[in-house]
């Protein structure tokens, strides 16, 4: 693939994937270690929930720190702190007598320090691809497909590991993966390029500012944060809608398979969606599109929403699996497009944060959709549950299209002198 032939691209991407594999192994490993070592699924769920909330809740802050202070100064300390906390969790879950408060404290520490390797890698893709939008599309498609593969291979790796070792070993493996991957990633020349550019920009901003302006700029932090989110509202709304819809759909699939007395079909439906997503992502990256990424985003989102709604017509689990496979074809392209739009609309000093907002919108939406579908399944026909799941996806497409129409076809533009000065003062 062309993007991997860019200078240092294959090396940087490979090391980032090693670290990102940690996120594919840690949740299942931690859940199994707690459930088997402490004999309580409810306790396992409580600790994992604490970990997930800390990980997602502080994600924008960690991304913003990288944008402000540079990758090397922030990402490596975060990764090593995260790995240390995971080692502590591995040791604690190995011992059945560990008190719950200590497990939750370690889970908060790990979740709070989790390094944003995915958003950081997408920032590095921009550096390596420059202003070549075709290359950026291929790079983001490859990156999104890789995340899908990690989502499949991580749990499989844990499943093999627990056949021969204590489940807590999987937590320890997660710590090793993120530490080794991030340390190796720091040796990439691309990191040096980004760090040097960030240092030069920070120095220039400091020279232009002055203490008086710094005090005046400090009162504008909230408005700047809101402005950044509004700047990328179309990809964030699309990602949130997709997350809610897919989260709701996943629980509806479980209910469908159980009611048809074929619970094993759940795995087939999930595998079909993942396979479709991988194939769709690879195809999307290879196509030369004639319309802009902002124009593509609502179209892809609407197509996914309609495909989710079609599941309402499935008469059996095998047709449902075929439909979810077809739905998956839109998932990776849509998320790659959302990340690309966020990258285009963000200024150079907030690209990591922009990607993190899109990522967080999807993850938060997925959790919320899964939780909200439970009452819906209890109150309405199952076929209508798939229509309900499709609704937020279609709404997300509508919001993305409406915001695009309102703000025009603006792509990333150089900051005005006044805006650049204000941004520099907040660093």
């Amino acid at each position: 693939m062309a993007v991997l032939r860019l200078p240092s691209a294959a090396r940087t991407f490979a090391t980032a994937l090693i670290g990102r594999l940690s996120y594919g192994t840690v949740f299942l490993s931690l859940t199994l270690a707690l459930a088997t070592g402490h004999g309580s699924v409810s306790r396992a769920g409580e600790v994992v929930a604490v970990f997930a909330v800390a990980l997602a809740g502080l994600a924008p802050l960690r991304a913003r720190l990288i944008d402000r202070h540079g990758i090397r100064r922030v990402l490596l300390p975060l990764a090593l702190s995260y790995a240390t906390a995971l080692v502590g969790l591995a040791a604690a879950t190995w011992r059945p007598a560990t008190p719950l408060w200590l497990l939750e404290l370690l889970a908060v520490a790990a979740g709070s320090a989790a390094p944003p390797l995915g958003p950081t890698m997408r920032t590095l893709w921009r550096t390596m691809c420059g202003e070549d939008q075709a290359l950026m599309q291929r790079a983001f498609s490859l990156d999104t497909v890789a995340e899908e593969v990690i989502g499949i291979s991580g749990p499989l790796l844990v499943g093999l590991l627990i056949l021969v070792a204590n489940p807590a070993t999987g937590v320890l493996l997660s710590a090793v993966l993120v530490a080794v991957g991030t340390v190796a990633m720091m040796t990439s020349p691309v990191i040096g390029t980004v760090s040097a550019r960030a240092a030069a920009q920070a120095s220039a901003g400091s020279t232009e500012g002055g203490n008086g302006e710094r005090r005046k700029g400090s009162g504008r932090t909230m408005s700047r944060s809101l402005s950044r989110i509004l700047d990328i509202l179309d990809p964030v709304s699309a990602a949130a809608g997709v997350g809610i819809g897919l989260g709701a759909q996943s629980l509806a699939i479980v209910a469908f398979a159980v009611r048809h007395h074929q619970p094993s079909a759940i795995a087939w439906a999930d595998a079909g969606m993942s396979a479709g997503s991988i194939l769709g992502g690879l195809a999307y990256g290879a196509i030369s599109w004639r319309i802009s990424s902002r124009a593509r985003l609502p179209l892809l989102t609407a197509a996914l929403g309609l495909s989710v709604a079609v599941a309402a017509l499935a008469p059996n689990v095998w047709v449902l699996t075929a439909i979810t496979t077809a739905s998956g074809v839109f998932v990776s392209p849509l998320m790659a497009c959302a990340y690309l739009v966020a990258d285009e609309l963000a200024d150079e000093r907030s690209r990591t944060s922009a990607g993190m907002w899109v990522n967080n919108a999807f993850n938060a939406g997925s959790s919320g959709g899964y939780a909200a579908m439970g009452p819906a399944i209890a109150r309405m026909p199952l076929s209508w549950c798939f229509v309900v799941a499709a609704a937020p996806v279609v709404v997300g497409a509508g919001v993305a299209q409406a915001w695009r129409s309102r703000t025009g076809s603006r792509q990333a533009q150089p900051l005005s002198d006044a805006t650049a000065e204000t941004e520099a003062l907040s660093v």
Side-chain angles (χ1 to χ4, degrees), residues 18 32 45 107 135 143 238 281 295 318 334 342-343 346 354 358 365 384 390 403 406:
I18 293 172
L32 292 174
L135 269 182
D143 196 274
W318 305 116
L334 193 157
D343 181 86
V358 173
W384 280 100
W403 191 250
R406 178 178 176 179

Side-chain angles (χ1 to χ4, degrees), residues 349-368:
R349 282 169 285 185
S350 62
R351 279 181 172 145
T352 306
S353 299
M356 180 57 80
W357 277 114
V358 173
N359 191 69
N360 247 26
F362 177 83
N363 290 335
S366 180
S367 300

Side-chain angles (χ1 to χ4, degrees), residues 134-181:
L135 269 182
M136 280 294 295
Q137 175 187 305
R138 294 189 182 98
F140 277 34
S141 297
L142 176 64
D143 196 274
T144 307
V145 167
E147 283 192 337
E148 192 73 54
V149 172
I150 285 173
I152 299 171
S153 59
L156 289 176
L157 180 59
V158 173
L160 292 174
L161 185 63
I162 63 173
L163 294 176
V164 296
N166 188 303
T169 307
V171 182
L172 185 61
L173 173 65
S174 302
V176 172
L177 286 170
V178 75
V180 170

